[in-house]
Amino acid sequence: MAGADKSSARDRTGGRAAAEGRREPRERRTDDRARGESRRESRPDGGRGDRSRDAGMRRDRSGERAGNGGAAARSDRFVRGDSFRKKSSAGSAHAGRGSAASGTAAESAAEDGVRLNKYIASTGRCSRRAADELIEAGRVRLNGRPAKAGDRVLPGDAVTVDGRAVQIEEGQVCLMLHKPVQVVSTASDPQGRRTVLDFVPEAYRHLRLYPVGRLDYFSEGLILLTNDGALAQRLTHPSHRQTKVYQVLVRGQVTAAVLRTLRGGMTLAEGDRTAPCEVMAAGAPNGETLLTITLHQGLNRQIRRMCRDTGLTVLRLKRVAEGGLGLGSLAPGQVRELAPEEVRALRED
């Protein structure tokens, strides 16, 4: 019995020790928390920095994992988008180069003309190879001179094979324009001024028209536009001596001596010799004189130079007729197409 009591006492003593042993870690943890609170209270921020830093670190690590995935996704999208943009840019650049190349080729063709063999072939006369053989054999002439391989045909050029004119059939027309003043008599102007082709009606814009001869910038009147190279060559060649009639308004009275000089031919200041011409004088308002001058030669700015060298001041210069064609009532800037009989008369004149 006594042994049992001792054993029971030991069990109770051991139980209390075990319980105390179990309570000891909780007590230490409590003490640790107390010491930690004491340290945090002793800091200016009350220890909140540790918690904030710990939370921030956790967010950073979480954000870093998410960010890496997001960055990878963004990078992937960027690569794909950049690749697409590069392809699109390359495609646009390729298309742009193609468009620019075609535009440049068209401009170059307009400025440099067409190769002679291609031109002859385009008329339906023969193939390019056969055209080369004709050129080599000396049977082709360009503007009256023997042609050679590599020659190019420009608007207004005349091409003949065995003495017969050949040209591209595109609907040959001849237009009459009343050229206004301050318009250049060329197909284009590097200074951007208006040209005679700016007055061509829309129905004729698809044709390769060009002016036949010229009127200077401050002159007005009749000028022909055509795509008929043979006709243009005939009308402008010096040997044809195309008749042209001008009305010239000058300041003051014109003496008989001046009229004799103009009519009989004169040597201009530049050394050119003018051929005899018809000159008629009529009175005009304000003491001015209206001269009607008929020329049979085509020196550059001939009438203005003749008047300059005889002391006359030109107020207005207007071409009213050419080769039997009259300007009539055609107003400045207006255009009309010549009738077939008018064109035929120009060819036969």
Side-chain angles (χ1 to χ4, degrees):
M1 184 73 178
D5 292 337
K6 292 179 182 179
S7 175
S8 176
R10 284 195 298 272
D11 291 340
R12 285 194 297 273
T13 301
R16 283 195 299 272
E20 290 174 359
R22 286 194 300 271
R23 283 197 301 271
E24 185 177 0
R26 286 199 298 271
E27 291 172 356
R28 283 200 299 270
R29 288 196 296 271
T30 301
D31 292 341
D32 290 340
R33 284 198 298 271
R35 283 193 295 273
E37 291 292 333
S38 176
R39 285 195 299 270
R40 284 194 292 272
E41 289 172 0
S42 66
R43 295 174 54 176
D45 60 0
R48 288 188 298 273
D50 291 338
R51 293 193 297 273
S52 300
R53 185 163 54 252
D54 291 343
M57 291 176 65
R58 287 193 297 273
R59 284 194 301 271
D60 289 345
R61 285 194 295 271
S62 175
E64 185 178 21
R65 288 192 297 272
N68 289 340
R74 286 194 299 273
S75 176
D76 182 60
R77 287 195 300 272
F78 175 79
V79 170
R80 290 197 302 270
D82 188 60
S83 175
F84 174 79
R85 283 192 294 273
K86 286 180 179 178
K87 290 179 181 178
S88 300
S89 177
S92 300
H94 180 73
R97 286 193 298 271
S99 176
S102 62
T104 303
E107 294 171 1
S108 177
E111 294 176 358
D112 300 335
V114 181
R115 287 184 65 88
L116 181 57
N117 61 348
K118 180 179 179 181
Y119 180 88
I120 295 174
S122 299
T123 66
R125 177 74 164 70
C126 58
S127 66
R128 289 195 193 184
R129 181 173 298 181
D132 287 331
E133 294 173 355
L134 291 173
I135 296 170
E136 187 176 356
R139 298 167 59 186
V140 180
R141 301 182 78 83
L142 176 61
N143 295 329
R145 65 166 179 80
K148 59 182 183 296
D151 279 346
R152 305 187 77 87
V153 181
L154 298 171
D157 287 347
V159 179
T160 61
V161 177
D162 296 333
R164 300 187 64 178
V166 294
Q167 53 194 17
I168 300 174
E169 296 294 336
E170 54 178 10
Q172 294 175 353
V173 298
C174 190
L175 307 179
M176 178 190 295
L177 164 69
H178 184 161
K179 184 189 94 65
V181 296
Q182 298 187 21
V183 172
V184 293
S185 302
T186 56
S188 61
D189 182 62
Q191 300 179 39
R193 297 172 296 182
R194 290 190 303 170
T195 76
V196 291
L197 295 189
D198 291 332
F199 298 90
V200 173
E202 187 64 32
Y204 303 95
R205 290 288 178 91
H206 67 286
L207 302 174
R208 293 195 311 158
L209 297 172
Y210 40 87
V212 180
R214 293 190 178 186
L215 271 174
D216 68 58
Y217 187 64
F218 291 105
S219 298
E220 65 173 299
L222 188 158
I223 188 169
L224 299 177
L225 309 174
T226 187
N227 59 347
D228 187 334
L231 178 61
Q233 176 72 8
R234 172 179 171 78
L235 296 179
T236 57
H237 197 278
S239 63
H240 184 58
R241 302 178 68 84
Q242 179 79 354
T243 298
K244 297 172 184 172
V245 182
Y246 300 83
Q247 289 181 347
V248 187
L249 185 66
V250 297
R251 180 175 290 127
Q253 300 298 309
V254 181
T255 66
V258 170
L259 290 176
R260 284 195 299 271
T261 301
L262 295 174
R263 292 168 177 157
M266 55 187 292
T267 301
L268 301 174
E270 295 80 6
D272 296 317
R273 180 70 187 177
T274 67
C277 60
E278 292 85 46
V279 181
M280 297 178 62
N286 303 318
E288 297 163 351
T289 302
L290 181 65
L291 301 176
T292 302
I293 303 177
T294 303
L295 297 181
H296 303 283
Q297 68 181 138
L299 297 178
N300 184 38
R301 304 182 76 250
Q302 180 173 342
I303 289 180
R304 291 188 182 274
R305 293 160 66 193
M306 291 168 62
C307 292
R308 175 202 65 192
D309 291 354
T310 53
L312 300 178
T313 300
V314 176
L315 302 177
R316 183 183 182 190
L317 195 158
K318 178 181 180 182
R319 183 191 289 163
V320 295
E322 178 177 353
L325 294 173
L327 187 62
S329 60
L330 200 64
Q334 287 189 340
V335 176
R336 75 171 180 87
E337 183 176 354
L338 298 188
E341 57 271 19
E342 291 177 313
V343 176
R344 188 160 50 249
L346 288 176
R347 294 184 188 279
E348 298 172 354
D349 184 20

